Amino acid sequence: MLGPLDLRASASIFFVNLPSGSITGFGVAADVLFPLPLETAPLRLDVGVGLGLVGVGGLTDFGARALVGLEFPIQGPLSVRLEPTLSYSFNSQQFAFGANLGPRVYLR
């Protein structure tokens, strides 16, 4: 994006199991990430902020999020990333904490 900043967009589909049945949901988000220098190579650490939209069962909610990402390169463009995220939903006025763990592939 600009200087050291990274811009990323994401889209997801998920399923929520309730006692009354299953509900399908979706999410879209955009984040700006800023890398922090680490003296313990090859780990990569970054912080970020973003905006997102989530829809579940016909209801939608807009929110803001803050995250910290820790990434460990495996080979070439492949790495593993752990990303704790704190989100705030404006309509429901609720905070949520989540974490993502999984592979990351760079397309360069």
Side-chain angles (χ1 to χ4, degrees):
M1 191 170 112
L2 179 63
L5 297 179
D6 289 332
L7 177 64
R8 107 179 144 185
S10 63
S12 59
I13 296 174
F14 55 89
F15 304 96
V16 179
N17 288 320
L18 300 172
S20 60
S22 295
I23 298 175
T24 303
F26 74 92
V28 292
D31 301 312
V32 176
L33 304 173
F34 179 78
L36 298 175
L38 264 186
E39 295 180 16
T40 56
L43 295 178
R44 178 180 174 190
L45 178 68
D46 53 38
V47 294
V49 294
L51 297 173
L53 179 69
V54 175
V56 178
L59 303 173
T60 58
D61 204 349
F62 183 71
R65 55 198 226 155
L67 57 97
V68 175
L70 182 62
E71 194 170 316
F72 181 76
I74 295 176
Q75 180 180 11
L78 179 63
S79 60
V80 173
R81 182 172 176 85
L82 173 63
E83 187 176 282
T85 305
L86 179 65
S87 303
Y88 178 74
S89 298
F90 294 116
N91 290 341
S92 61
Q93 298 180 353
Q94 292 183 345
F95 283 97
F97 179 77
N100 293 319
L101 174 64
R104 187 172 194 186
V105 178
Y106 289 93
L107 304 174
R108 298 180 188 180

